[in-house]
Amino acid sequence: MWHRRTLLTVAAAAAGLGGCAGSPSPTTFEGSTATPIPPPVGADYAFTHLRADGNRIVDGAGTVDDARPVDIAVDGRPAWLLAFPGRGATSYWTVVRADGRATTHRVGDGTSETVASHGRVSTPPLAYAAGGAFGVVDAPADCAEHTHPVVVDGGLLYVATNGDVVVRRDGTSTRLDAAAPADCRPVRIDDDRYALYGGRTTRYRHAALGDTVEGSRLLVVDAARGRIDADVPLDAPTVFEGLSPLAADFDGDGDREVVTTVADAVDGARIRAYAAHGTELATGPVYGPGWRHQLCVAPFGPDGRRELAVVRKPHVDRTLEFYRLDDGDLTVTATHDGYASHTYGSRNVDGGLAADLDGDGRWELLLPASRRRTLAAVRRTERGAERAWALPLGGELVTNVAGVALDDGRLAVGAGTAGRVRIWQG
C-alpha cells in the first residue's frame, strides 16, 4: 500500500534534519513500486493545509515581516509547497511542480540548496521527513484522483476511486460506503477519528472548486474500529461546498468542533459548525449566491478569543470575515475588504495561514491580497480588522501558502510564483 517515491539520506543525516554539516548532492529514485515501503516509524508529515486537522495555523512566533526573503529557483511552474523544520534556524521545503515532479530544498543562513529530487509524485502531495530523509507518500492504486491518503496507526485511510472510504491497517482493508467526491480530503478530529464529506451529488453546479460534484453528507470515521460513527445528511438543494471540513476547538470549551461550508444555488454559502459527534451547533449568516472560503481558527480576537477566518466570495467580493461561536450563535465580528484567497475552479484551497508572524504576541492572518501579488497580514483590532503589513511575492501567487515552526521557536512562511518559491524566515 506504500510506494516510496524518494528517500534521500543526505551526507549529513547524522545531524538530523538540520543537515548543516555539508551540501548534499541531489539523488533521484524514480517511483519504483516493486517493493512498497512505508515511511519510517515516527516520521513527521507535511500537509498543504499545514495540519492533519485542516486548521491552517502555525505555532511559534517570528518576525517574517522584517525578514529578507530567500528565493528557490524552480525549473517549471510550482503548484504545491510543503515545509519541515530543520535544526535551529533552518527549514526544508518540498516543492511540487505543476507536472508532478518534486524536489526538497534546505533554507538557512540566507541561502537555499537542493537536497533531494523525488521524480514524479502523487498530487495533491503528502510529504514526510525522518532521520535526515525526505519523501512523498505515493497514493494507493485505487485512491481517488484528486486526494491523498492520510497516515493512521498501522496504515492508511483514503478515499477510493468509487467513493468508498478505505482503512488499511496491519494488512487488513475495511471499505466503508461513503460515496465521497474524488477530491475529498479527510481531516483528523482526534487520534482515531476523521471528518470528511460523502454523498457526492451534482445538485449544486457552482464548480468553484474544480468540478460540479460536492458532498451532501458529513461523515465521522473511526479508523481504529473501521466504522462510520456519524453520518449527517443535508436536505436538497444544499451541499457541503468544500474539499474538507476543518476540526478545531472553535468556542474554547476544550472540545473540537467540525466547521463546514454549506451552500445552495438560491442562498449561497454560509458557515455551519457541528459537534464532533455530528450535532449541529450553529449556522452563520447568508449574503446571497457565492462561496465562503473557510481558512482557520485561531486566537484572533483582540481579547484573545478564538475566531474563524473566512473569505466571503474570494472571486467577487473578496471580503475577509471573522466569526465567533458563542452560546450557540455563529456571528461575524469584523470584516475587511481586498483578499483573494482562491482562484475560481482551482482545487488549491490552502491560500492562507495564521500565526504570530511579527513576534508581537498577537496572531495575524496571512493571505493573498486581491491581485495575488502580495501576502497581506491582517490583524483583529477593537474597531474591527486592519492590514498590518505585506510581503511582496514578485509575481502572481500560484501555490498554496505554507508555513512551519522552526526548531528554535521562530517560524518561516513560503509561497510560489511562476518559476520560483519565496521563503521568509524570521
Side-chain angles (χ1 to χ4, degrees):
M1 64 180 161
W2 299 92
H3 304 303
R4 183 168 64 176
R5 284 291 184 186
T6 295
L7 274 179
L8 175 74
T9 303
V10 300
L17 295 187
C20 301
S23 298
S25 300
T27 301
T28 301
F29 298 85
E30 183 68 37
S32 172
T33 61
T35 307
I37 302 174
V41 175
D44 294 317
Y45 293 90
F47 298 82
T48 62
H49 48 66
L50 304 186
R51 294 160 47 110
D53 58 14
N55 195 19
R56 301 170 183 87
I57 64 174
V58 181
D59 295 323
T63 53
V64 298
D65 57 323
D66 289 332
R68 177 176 296 178
V70 175
D71 286 343
I72 300 171
V74 180
D75 182 16
R77 182 182 178 91
W80 300 102
L81 189 60
L82 307 110
F84 296 97
R87 178 171 295 174
T90 302
S91 58
Y92 288 87
W93 300 81
T94 297
V95 180
V96 182
R97 300 186 331 208
D99 64 3
R101 294 188 176 273
T103 50
T104 296
H105 309 262
R106 174 188 176 273
V107 173
D109 302 321
T111 63
S112 69
E113 60 179 336
T114 303
V115 297
S117 296
H118 306 284
R120 197 178 301 276
V121 303
S122 298
T123 58
L126 173 65
Y128 65 93
F134 299 89
V136 178
V137 176
D138 199 11
D142 63 337
C143 185
E145 182 180 5
H146 300 296
T147 185
H148 60 67
V150 294
V151 178
V152 300
D153 186 23
L156 293 176
L157 181 150
Y158 62 93
V159 174
T161 53
N162 69 348
D164 286 352
V165 172
V166 180
V167 183
R168 288 190 184 181
R169 299 180 68 246
D170 304 320
T172 301
S173 291
T174 301
R175 302 184 76 93
L176 305 174
D177 182 8
D183 52 9
C184 168
R185 300 178 192 175
V187 297
R188 188 173 67 194
I189 300 173
D190 53 33
D191 288 344
D192 297 317
R193 292 188 303 161
Y194 289 78
L196 68 152
Y197 296 137
R200 56 192 177 198
T201 178
T202 58
R203 66 194 186 206
Y204 180 54
R205 306 181 67 84
H206 190 200
L209 306 179
D211 58 34
T212 59
V213 180
E214 307 294 347
S216 65
R217 296 156 57 195
L218 172 64
L219 307 178
V220 177
V221 174
D222 187 325
R225 294 176 173 83
R227 69 187 188 192
I228 295 176
D229 275 354
D231 187 340
V232 182
L234 293 177
D235 294 331
T238 56
V239 301
F240 290 108
E241 191 176 15
L243 305 188
S244 65
L246 182 159
D249 181 6
F250 190 177
D251 58 7
D253 66 353
D255 296 321
R256 288 189 172 188
E257 286 74 40
V258 178
V259 183
T260 69
T261 300
V262 176
D264 64 68
V266 175
D267 293 328
R270 55 273 199 195
I271 302 299
R272 181 171 294 169
Y274 293 86
H277 55 266
T279 299
E280 181 181 336
L281 298 176
T283 300
V286 174
Y287 289 96
W291 184 48
R292 273 184 163 85
H293 185 190
Q294 59 187 42
L295 289 171
C296 52
V297 172
F300 292 118
D303 55 0
R305 291 277 299 276
R306 291 176 174 88
E307 295 183 343
L308 169 70
V310 173
V311 179
R312 187 181 78 220
K313 302 182 184 179
H315 322 115
V316 182
D317 289 358
R318 299 185 174 94
T319 299
L320 173 61
E321 302 175 317
F322 291 92
Y323 287 74
R324 187 170 289 189
L325 177 62
D326 197 3
D327 294 330
D329 290 326
L330 188 53
T331 56
V332 176
T333 59
T335 63
H336 205 257
D337 292 335
Y339 304 98
S341 56
H342 179 260
T343 57
Y344 191 90
S346 172
R347 288 189 173 90
N348 178 358
V349 295
D350 303 316
L353 60 83
D356 177 6
L357 295 162
D358 52 18
D360 66 351
R362 296 179 293 174
W363 283 62
E364 291 82 31
L365 177 70
L366 189 70
L367 75 171
S370 291
R371 295 181 60 216
R372 295 178 61 83
R373 301 180 69 87
T374 60
L375 296 181
V378 181
R379 182 185 301 130
R380 280 277 280 114
T381 69
E382 294 287 353
R383 295 183 297 275
E386 65 180 10
R387 187 176 300 186
W389 40 267
L391 302 175
L393 291 170
E396 185 175 344
L397 177 69
V398 297
T399 69
N400 56 302
V401 179
V404 64
L406 304 182
D407 185 57
D408 63 0
R410 291 179 290 176
L411 53 83
V413 298
T417 61
R420 71 178 174 192
V421 167
R422 179 163 287 184
I423 309 298
W424 293 265
Q425 199 152 278

